[in-house]
Amino acid sequence: MWNAQELQEQLAIINGQKAPDILIENATYLHSIFKKWMKGNIWIQGDRIVYVGERLPAQFEGTERVDASGKKIVPGYIEPHVHPFQLYNPESFADYAGKRGTTTILSDNLMLFSLLDRQIAFTVIDQLNELPFSFYWWARVDSQTVLQNEQQLFNPEDIAAWLKRSDVLLTGELTSWPRLLQGDQQMMQSLIEAKRQGKKIEGHFPGASERTLARMKLLGVDGDHESMTVDEVERRLQQGYAVTLRESSIRPDLSNLLEGIIERDLNVFDHLMMTTDGSTPSFYEDGVMDKCIQIALDAGVAPIDAYQMASYNVARYYDITDLHSVIGTGRFATLNFLEDEWNPVPMDVLSKGQWLLKEGQAMKKFQAVDWKRLPDFTLPFEVTDQDFSFKSNKGIEMVNDVITKVYETDLDLTDRVITDCNECFLLLIDRNGKWRVNTMLKGFANSLQGFASSYSNTGDILLIGQDWEEIKRAFNELKKIGGGMAIAENGEIIVTLPLAVSGGMSEQPLEVVAEQELALKQVLKERGYHQGDAIYTLLFLESIHLPRVRITPVGLVQVLKNERLIPNTER
């Protein structure tokens, strides 16, 4: 991490020959190994802590001296399970999270892996690494849906190239685990390579039985973040899993889980982590990991345990405590300065030796990535009346925002307009215009004329609505704005959410995207959407990791039965 010259400069500070860049004096800091508050001085050179203890440096010339009296200092927070493509992008998420004290994230690579040439993807990651922030990554082995080229895309050679990177710490999340149990040798090869490289494997096992958990543990899975009850937490811990508790926009479970753990007097806090699991932008209005820590404190978790779940426990699990989560010599100079231990929202944030927040004021804006390196969003085709041809009356009925079931419509699907019901036409169209899947969607809205989205699990186009002409109008608006979401009504576009980065991410700050998201959700609500999170509905319509009916590039699929109800149609 540091070259010979930097190491010599660091040693020179200890030897009294050189002054540090920053001196934190009178610090009361959390020592993660002793699990107690300690007092001392912290010397910093560049992005590294060179000394922590009672001594003061022999030289001060040019040193920034910070008196930390009256504050508590904790390690920067770590978010261990991030999907940094939920309308925002990895850089804008980090920019927002860093100023709230979350200075390290472990990120899903799905969009980078599936949409970009490997070298371009690695260039984006290398640009992100120039920021005063710590990015780590997963290496995906499946798509979360059913792709026509699944085996070619998620091939062992490309996955192995990702696993060789030192900033890739895990494989997962393992959503298509039934394929593994059925003997998928290609997936098994990638998991064996992950183990050979010393990487963790993260599962995705909602509602899994003890038998399933045991089988997946034998196949190498190390952790899981899908516990929805305290019983499920216990079941995973008993099988030897690392358990990450979730507080997300569709699964706000953290408070109940922690209260249940305390009620059962389970002394397991050293073995727990927390995550927001890639929530939508507006969910982060009140924080990222600082939000999780506050929930833990309010649930009755002891402060040190609460902070450890969002820092040291994660770093220890992924074997990065030599760089993160310990306020000690040799680690990154990444510190959160708190008013007290009961308020995890930092007053000051130092990340890799640079101030992101000082006395409550933002000090930096992250702008390292050239997002224009990603492919432009283009739609080289038109949607015509011929695309509204339905082979079957089977469709998707929403039970909640992500759970679905099969239903059969009584509507005449040759009618161009649907009136007075909560059913909509639903089309998934290949972003290159090669195929389409036509079905119906019940329970999404009751007065939605036309909606189009390039934000989807696969990057293909979702069209939803009750009027062919307005659906086409919304689609044409996507072409005009370069990707995103659009709603059309009575001959006009009434709301858009531009996603200029390859049609899937915004270039705007997270706060701006959150406002746009809320505006779009309000329009959908006024037209009958009454579920929890419309953005997640769009994402999960294609996601087969929940065993329900899904629209995928190969057709309408009944996941539990592994049955294709409606095939795709070539255009």
Side-chain angles (χ1 to χ4, degrees):
M1 297 295 297
W2 293 274
N3 60 38
Q5 181 179 344
E6 289 170 326
L7 292 173
Q8 289 302 316
E9 290 177 353
Q10 293 164 9
L11 289 172
I13 295 169
I14 297 293
N15 295 335
Q17 301 162 339
K18 188 178 186 305
D21 289 335
I22 301 175
L23 172 63
I24 313 295
E25 301 180 75
N26 304 312
T28 300
Y29 63 95
L30 174 60
H31 198 292
S32 303
I33 296 172
F34 287 107
K35 289 188 68 173
K36 70 177 189 178
W37 300 101
M38 304 182 74
K39 294 183 182 295
N41 303 301
I42 305 169
W43 310 1
I44 295 167
Q45 173 69 14
D47 59 0
R48 196 180 196 192
I49 297 173
V50 298
Y51 172 80
V52 179
E54 296 181 358
R55 293 175 50 204
L56 288 171
Q59 296 194 39
F60 297 98
E61 185 177 353
T63 297
E64 179 185 356
R65 301 181 68 170
V66 178
D67 186 354
S69 299
K71 298 179 181 180
K72 294 288 183 71
I73 303 177
V74 296
Y77 310 142
I78 305 175
E79 223 298 9
H81 192 89
V82 176
H83 302 272
F85 314 107
Q86 308 293 43
L87 307 183
Y88 43 77
N89 64 65
E91 187 173 46
S92 62
F93 181 82
D95 187 51
Y96 179 82
K99 294 175 178 61
R100 301 287 301 228
T102 301
T103 51
T104 301
I105 59 176
L106 279 70
S107 299
D108 186 358
N109 78 327
L110 181 59
M111 184 169 287
L112 297 181
F113 184 87
S114 59
L115 295 183
L116 301 181
D117 171 85
R118 186 200 307 166
Q119 194 53 52
I120 294 176
F122 287 174
T123 297
V124 169
I125 291 176
D126 291 341
Q127 289 176 342
L128 288 169
N129 287 339
E130 296 172 8
L131 296 168
F133 194 92
S134 295
F135 290 89
Y136 295 100
W137 298 88
W138 326 344
R140 282 274 191 175
V141 294
D142 63 81
S143 67
Q144 290 194 328
T145 187
V146 183
L147 300 177
Q148 295 173 329
N149 64 337
E150 178 96 11
Q151 295 296 311
Q152 292 80 15
L153 179 61
F154 290 89
N155 64 83
E157 180 182 350
D158 280 337
I159 292 170
W162 277 81
L163 290 170
K164 288 177 182 176
R165 289 187 63 103
S166 61
D167 50 8
V168 172
L169 301 184
L170 69 152
T171 302
E173 53 186 332
L174 194 62
T175 52
S176 296
W177 55 267
R179 283 171 36 200
L180 192 63
L181 292 178
Q182 293 161 9
D184 188 311
Q185 291 303 302
Q186 182 167 298
M187 186 179 291
M188 179 62 77
Q189 182 179 340
S190 292
L191 297 187
I192 290 172
E193 178 63 18
K195 286 297 185 182
R196 194 182 73 81
Q197 297 277 356
K199 316 290 184 176
K200 300 291 186 183
I201 300 175
E202 177 72 7
H204 189 282
F205 309 140
S209 67
E210 182 181 51
R211 181 169 176 263
T212 294
L213 291 172
R215 290 188 294 173
M216 298 311 300
K217 196 73 179 71
L218 290 174
L219 291 173
V221 179
D222 299 289
D224 180 77
H225 58 283
E226 290 291 328
S227 298
M228 293 175 278
T229 67
V230 180
D231 286 341
E232 291 183 336
V233 172
E234 284 200 67
R235 194 177 301 147
R236 283 157 174 75
L237 290 171
Q238 286 171 346
Q239 295 297 327
Y241 284 83
V243 175
T244 304
L245 308 180
R246 178 171 48 192
E247 179 70 15
S248 76
S249 52
I250 58 171
R251 291 298 323 181
D253 297 326
L254 184 57
S255 180
N256 289 337
L257 292 175
L258 290 171
E259 288 172 2
I261 290 167
I262 292 171
E263 189 175 305
R264 295 190 187 184
D265 196 25
L266 301 177
N267 185 20
V268 295
F269 291 107
D270 284 347
H271 305 280
L272 300 176
M273 297 172 276
M274 300 184 288
T275 182
T276 58
D277 197 7
S279 293
T280 45
S282 59
F283 180 80
Y284 292 110
E285 181 181 6
D286 51 355
V288 187
M289 294 313 294
D290 54 317
K291 174 178 185 168
C292 292
I293 296 167
Q294 189 62 62
I295 291 171
L297 294 171
D298 293 343
V301 177
I304 290 177
D305 285 330
Y307 288 102
Q308 299 273 86
M309 284 193 290
S311 57
Y312 184 69
N313 293 2
V314 183
R316 183 183 59 200
Y317 174 62
Y318 286 106
D319 195 24
I320 53 173
T321 56
D322 58 327
L323 297 175
H324 299 278
S325 79
V326 177
I327 301 177
T329 300
R331 275 70 173 191
F332 280 131
T334 300
L335 311 170
N336 290 335
F337 296 71
L338 311 178
E339 179 183 23
D340 58 53
E341 66 265 42
W342 300 102
N343 182 3
V345 180
M347 305 167 69
D348 314 282
V349 178
L350 188 71
S351 183
K352 289 187 173 179
Q354 298 186 42
W355 295 105
L356 304 186
L357 188 76
K358 198 167 186 183
E359 297 179 358
Q361 298 298 312
M363 303 299 290
K364 273 184 185 305
K365 179 174 174 56
F366 289 178
Q367 289 181 308
V369 178
D370 179 9
W371 293 110
K372 291 182 172 54
R373 291 186 65 93
L374 275 67
D376 291 335
F377 175 82
T378 57
L379 293 172
F381 62 95
E382 302 292 332
V383 172
T384 69
D385 287 353
Q386 292 180 341
D387 289 308
F388 293 89
S389 174
F390 294 80
K391 298 179 179 178
S392 169
N393 68 341
K394 287 186 171 63
I396 300 172
E397 181 176 355
M398 294 176 58
V399 177
N400 60 30
D401 43 7
V402 297
I403 302 298
T404 59
K405 64 181 181 180
V406 179
Y407 89 107
E408 294 185 1
T409 182
D410 295 325
L411 296 174
D412 182 349
L413 299 184
T414 63
D415 289 343
R416 301 170 65 93
V417 178
I418 298 172
T419 57
D420 300 324
C421 75
N422 66 344
E423 297 180 58
C424 295
F425 303 112
L426 170 61
L427 283 72
L428 178 68
I429 302 183
D430 172 44
R431 66 187 296 162
N432 296 309
K434 296 180 179 179
W435 51 259
R436 58 178 166 83
V437 180
N438 295 58
T439 187
M440 298 296 292
L441 180 61
K442 184 176 183 179
F444 185 83
N446 54 30
S447 60
L448 179 65
Q449 294 182 14
F451 174 77
S453 174
S454 58
Y455 172 85
S456 67
N457 188 285
T458 59
D460 298 308
I461 310 305
L462 286 167
L463 302 178
I464 304 171
Q466 298 171 316
D467 186 317
W468 292 8
E469 290 303 317
E470 297 303 329
I471 292 172
K472 288 188 286 184
R473 193 183 315 279
F475 173 82
N476 289 332
E477 184 68 13
L478 282 194
K479 298 178 71 170
K480 178 181 176 182
I481 66 176
M485 302 181 197
I487 296 178
E489 184 174 282
N490 298 330
E492 298 180 353
I493 300 298
I494 58 174
V495 68
T496 62
L497 198 167
L499 299 174
V501 182
S502 295
M505 298 181 288
S506 175
E507 292 180 306
Q508 297 297 318
L510 186 143
E511 299 94 325
V512 173
V513 185
E515 292 177 2
Q516 296 171 332
E517 172 207 352
L518 291 173
L520 181 113
K521 284 180 174 178
Q522 181 60 35
V523 171
L524 288 174
K525 181 178 179 181
E526 291 167 356
R527 283 146 188 81
Y529 184 90
H530 62 274
Q531 308 294 348
D533 193 326
I535 305 302
Y536 257 97
T537 294
L538 299 175
L539 193 67
F540 274 66
L541 281 173
E542 298 174 84
S543 299
I544 63 168
H545 58 275
L546 291 178
R548 300 293 188 268
V549 60
R550 302 293 173 189
I551 189 169
T552 78
V554 303
L556 188 68
V557 174
Q558 176 66 283
V559 178
L560 272 177
K561 298 179 180 179
N562 194 25
E563 177 184 2
R564 186 162 61 164
L565 303 176
I566 303 173
N568 65 7
T569 300
E570 290 188 10
R571 297 181 77 251

